[in-house]
């Protein structure tokens, strides 16, 4: 994976999009950053093409949507198989996010939605069948996000 050098405008665009991508247009960003809307649109397209900006995601409150069992399942995968197992875990019905962690133990974090305890058990069993060792399961109450501060400071 190659990284690309971001300038101050790129970082400020990323900061603004992280703060509120849904309700922010390129014109809004341009006005805030004293740039033209076409410059901002071009920069966003380049950030997307370079793989820096990978997508726009809905932040769902699962409890309000009627799914109270939003769960973090902490797993361990053998290091050589971690990426492959994480990708396979993402395909398990009920799994909404999988993160690979750079440690030997507890190196795959799975966020899943279960409609009841039996559903969560099924998800755990499917993860186990894939070759992930489940070491902990916790119900998630809330998730709080904020944009990365270094993108918003405007420094090189």
């Amino acid at each position: 994976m190659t990284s690309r050098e971001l300038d101050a405008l790129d970082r400020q665009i990323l900061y603004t999009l992280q703060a509120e991508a849904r309700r922010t247009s390129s014109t809004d960003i341009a006005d805030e950053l004293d740039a033209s809307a076409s410059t901002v649109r071009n920069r966003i397209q380049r950030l997307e093409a370079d793989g820096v900006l990978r997508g726009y995601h809905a932040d769902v409150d699962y409890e309000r949507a009627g799914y109270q069992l939003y769960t973090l399942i902490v797993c361990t995968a053998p290091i050589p198989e971690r990426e492959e197992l994480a990708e396979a875990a993402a395909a398990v019905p009920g799994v909404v996010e999988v993160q690979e962690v750079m440690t030997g133990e507890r190196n795959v974090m799975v966020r899943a939605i279960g409609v009841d305890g039996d559903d969560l058990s099924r998800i755990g069993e499917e993860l186990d069948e894939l070759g992930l060792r489940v070491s902990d399961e916790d119900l998630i109450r809330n998730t709080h996000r904020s944009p990365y501060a270094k993108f918003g400071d405007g420094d090189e």
Side-chain angles (χ1 to χ4, degrees):
M1 173 173 37
T2 60
S3 62
R4 117 173 179 34
E5 189 70 30
L6 301 177
D7 66 15
L9 182 58
D10 288 332
R11 288 193 304 277
Q12 290 175 320
I13 289 168
L14 290 171
Y15 182 86
T16 303
L17 290 173
Q18 282 183 310
E20 187 58 64
R22 176 82 170 136
R23 294 186 197 102
T24 304
S25 70
S26 56
T27 302
D28 295 334
I29 297 170
D31 290 345
E32 182 180 328
L33 303 179
D34 196 30
S36 74
S38 63
T39 296
V40 170
R41 276 192 300 277
N42 289 337
R43 292 293 187 101
I44 290 171
Q45 288 172 353
R46 191 171 80 206
L47 289 164
E48 290 170 343
D50 290 347
V52 173
L53 187 55
R54 297 184 300 191
Y56 305 86
H57 309 282
D59 184 7
V60 176
D61 184 326
Y62 292 104
E63 187 171 353
R64 288 187 183 192
Y67 301 97
Q68 284 72 32
L69 299 179
Y70 183 31
T71 307
L72 172 64
I73 304 171
V74 181
C75 304
T76 299
I79 300 295
E81 301 170 44
R82 180 180 53 217
E83 183 175 2
E84 176 185 332
L85 290 174
E87 289 176 5
V92 171
V95 171
V96 295
E97 180 179 82
V98 178
Q99 295 174 308
E100 295 177 53
V101 180
M102 298 300 294
T103 61
E105 294 291 317
R106 302 169 62 91
N107 58 6
V108 177
M109 305 293 168
V110 177
R111 295 184 193 275
I113 308 300
V115 295
D116 56 28
D118 290 340
D119 200 24
L120 289 178
S121 293
R122 175 200 48 84
I123 292 168
E125 289 168 6
E126 288 191 38
L127 294 173
D128 183 66
E129 289 170 8
L130 291 173
L132 290 166
R133 185 171 41 88
V134 175
S135 58
D136 198 8
E137 297 178 55
D138 298 302
L139 289 178
I140 298 171
R141 182 167 178 254
N142 289 309
T143 300
H144 306 274
R145 290 186 176 88
S146 63
Y148 182 53
K150 288 282 188 186
F151 288 159
D153 65 16
D155 294 333
E156 292 292 323

